[in-house]
């Protein structure tokens, strides 16, 4: 029996000897793995940017741009176009089929401060400063000599007085005020389910309204500098500029709502984080989306600004400034301002 048990012990020792060498190959295999593969297999590193702690720098940067514009608005006012200052409007149809560039070149050569707006096949609206009847007749003769024959049946001359211009200004201001009040009420109602109730909703709405006013003041300030400070025609205030301002108001609020909506979602699921941490996380999650969305619009506006006609350049520039400002204010002003407001009036 001793002879029969001995081989079993030998087999067990042999199995133990065969199992022991299994560890060194694993160590050798790990040593052979290249560092590049280890970097791929390692968990991704998330880059964190602290937007909220630098909010004072963002506010200072905005003030450095807005304050000079406010100075020019108060001190020098605006360079008003015919829509607001009054003037003469010609509606003409040329018989020789000229291009828009040829008509604009002819009007610019007249040095009458005119703008050209296409109104149909071979038909253009030419707006100039106020003219007498004799000056209007001479202007039609000059256009005929520079561009070509004009269809007398389609010719129409209209005088825009100061009363109509004043009503246009009041309507434009009223539109901006009504839009701002409506946006404040809507956002207060929409974010009322955030912890803090209607008071928290008012903080969200008020911060969005402040970012909106930031964009409006920046846009109007830049145009005041261009129009009355640098005396550039592209800085004139007209009906297209009012259209651009209202468009910027909507775009700015849209970007701000994207950030605020993510803050509301994160407040529900990240209860262990402080309010500042939630806001900072929400900005990081939405910043790239907002920037890319705005950049695609900016590309189109730059193309219009470079290749478009003179009548569209002011409109394109106003939209370009407003959209860039709206994206900036949504990320760097609205959300940090919400943090400041929450610090001054904490909610439970």
């Amino acid at each position: 029996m001793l002879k029969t048990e001995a081989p079993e012990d030998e087999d067990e020792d042999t199995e133990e000897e065969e199992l022991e060498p299994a560890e060194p190959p694993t160590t050798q295999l790990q040593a052979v793995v290249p560092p590049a593969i280890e970097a791929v297999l390692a968990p991704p590193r998330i880059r964190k940017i602290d937007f909220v702690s630098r909010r004072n720098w963002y506010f200072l940067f905005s003030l450095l741009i807005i304050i000079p514009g406010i100075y020019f608005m108060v001190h020098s006012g605006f360079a008003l176009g015919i829509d607001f200052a009054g003037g003469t409007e010609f509606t003409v149809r040329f018989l020789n089929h000229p291009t828009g560039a040829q008509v604009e070149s002819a009007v610019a050569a007249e040095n009458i401060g005119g703008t050209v707006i296409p109104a149909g096949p071979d038909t253009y609206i030419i707006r100039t400063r106020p003219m007498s009847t004799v000056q209007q007749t001479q202007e039609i003769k000059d256009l005929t000599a520079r561009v070509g024959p004009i269809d007398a049946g389609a010719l129409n001359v209209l005088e825009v007085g100061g009363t109509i211009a004043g009503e246009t200004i009041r309507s434009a201001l009223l539109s901006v005020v009504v839009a701002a009040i409506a946006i404040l009420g809507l956002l207060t109602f929409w974010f009322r389910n955030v912890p803090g109730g209607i008071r928290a909703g008012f903080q969200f709405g008020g911060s969005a309204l402040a970012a909106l006013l930031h964009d409006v003041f920046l846009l109007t300030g830049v145009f005041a500098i261009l129009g009355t400070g640098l005396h550039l025609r592209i800085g004139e205030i007209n009906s297209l500029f009012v259209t651009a301002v209202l468009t910027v108001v909507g775009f700015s609020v849209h970007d701000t709502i994207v950030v605020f909506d993510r803050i509301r979602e994160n407040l529900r699921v990240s209860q262990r984080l402080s309010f500042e941490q939630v806001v900072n996380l929400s900005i990081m999650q939405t910043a790239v989306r907002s920037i890319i969305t705005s950049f695609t619009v900016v590309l189109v506006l730059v193309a219009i600004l470079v290749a478009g006609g003179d009548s569209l350049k002011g409109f394109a520039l106003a939209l370009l400034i407003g959209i860039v400002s709206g994206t900036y204010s949504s990320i760097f002003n609205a959300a940090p301002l919400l943090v400041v407001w929450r610090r001054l009036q904490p909610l439970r």
Side-chain angles (χ1 to χ4, degrees):
M1 293 180 62
L2 292 173
K3 291 180 180 180
T4 56
E5 290 177 357
E8 293 180 358
D9 295 338
E10 292 177 358
D11 293 340
E12 291 177 358
D13 295 339
T14 305
E15 291 177 357
E16 291 177 357
E17 291 175 0
E18 291 176 357
L19 292 175
E20 287 177 0
E23 185 175 355
T26 304
T27 307
Q28 295 175 0
L29 180 62
Q30 291 177 350
V32 176
V33 176
I37 298 180
E38 289 184 357
V40 173
L41 297 177
R45 297 176 59 185
I46 301 176
R47 185 177 181 181
K48 296 182 179 180
I49 303 175
D50 192 357
F51 292 94
V52 176
S53 65
R54 300 181 178 91
R55 56 185 176 271
N56 292 331
W57 291 104
Y58 308 144
F59 297 157
L60 178 61
F61 179 72
S62 297
L63 289 176
L64 290 177
I65 300 176
I66 292 175
I67 290 177
I70 293 177
Y71 170 78
F72 276 93
M73 283 190 287
V74 174
H75 184 264
S76 305
F78 297 97
L80 301 179
I82 184 177
D83 300 355
F84 293 162
T88 304
E89 181 179 279
F90 299 88
T91 302
V92 296
R93 187 169 73 87
F94 296 97
L95 299 177
N96 60 334
H97 313 294
T99 63
Q102 290 175 332
V103 178
E104 289 180 355
S105 176
V107 173
E110 291 292 319
N111 195 21
I112 54 177
T115 58
V116 179
I117 302 175
D122 302 324
T123 303
Y124 299 89
I125 296 175
I126 302 173
R127 293 173 175 173
T128 69
R129 59 174 179 261
M131 291 185 175
S132 64
T133 305
V134 177
Q135 291 174 329
Q136 294 173 10
T137 304
Q138 183 62 38
E139 178 62 24
I140 294 173
K141 292 180 180 180
D142 292 341
L143 288 175
T144 302
R146 292 178 181 274
V147 181
I150 296 175
D151 185 358
L155 178 62
N156 184 29
V157 181
L158 176 65
E159 289 288 339
V160 180
T163 302
I164 298 177
E167 291 178 356
T168 306
I169 294 174
R170 286 191 293 270
S171 299
L173 294 176
L174 182 61
S175 299
V176 175
V177 172
V178 170
I181 295 174
I183 288 170
L184 176 61
L186 177 63
L187 294 184
T188 300
F189 176 79
W190 183 257
F191 289 98
R192 72 189 188 283
N193 55 356
V194 175
I198 196 70
R199 291 179 59 195
F202 184 76
Q203 290 181 351
F204 276 84
S207 300
L209 180 60
L212 182 154
L213 294 177
H214 164 276
D215 301 332
V216 171
F217 277 107
L218 189 146
L219 176 57
T220 54
V222 170
F223 265 69
I225 295 173
L226 293 176
T228 59
L230 302 178
H231 303 288
L232 297 177
R233 187 177 170 187
I234 198 172
E236 289 185 352
I237 304 298
N238 51 26
S239 57
L240 287 177
F241 176 80
V242 176
T243 304
V245 170
L246 294 177
T247 305
V248 167
V249 166
F251 197 93
S252 173
V253 173
H254 167 268
D255 256 2
T256 305
I257 289 177
V258 170
V259 180
F260 282 3
D261 207 41
R262 183 56 61 91
I263 293 174
R264 180 177 61 177
E265 294 175 0
N266 288 334
L267 284 175
R268 296 174 180 175
V269 299
S270 305
Q271 299 179 357
R272 294 184 179 181
L273 299 179
S274 65
F275 185 75
E276 293 186 10
Q277 291 174 330
V278 169
V279 171
N280 200 71
L281 176 64
S282 302
I283 293 175
M284 287 192 296
Q285 292 174 343
T286 56
V288 175
R289 171 187 171 184
S290 298
I291 293 173
I292 292 177
T293 303
S294 301
F295 184 70
T296 55
V297 181
V298 166
L299 291 178
V300 177
L301 294 175
V302 169
I304 296 175
L305 187 61
V306 173
D310 291 339
S311 59
L312 292 178
K313 287 185 177 180
F315 177 69
L317 179 63
L319 283 179
L320 181 62
I321 295 172
I323 288 176
V324 172
S325 172
T327 304
Y328 173 84
S329 64
S330 299
I331 298 174
F332 299 101
N333 290 134
L337 183 60
L338 183 62
V339 172
V340 174
W341 199 338
R342 185 62 65 94
R343 278 190 172 188
L344 296 177
Q345 292 182 354
L347 300 176
R348 296 181 180 179

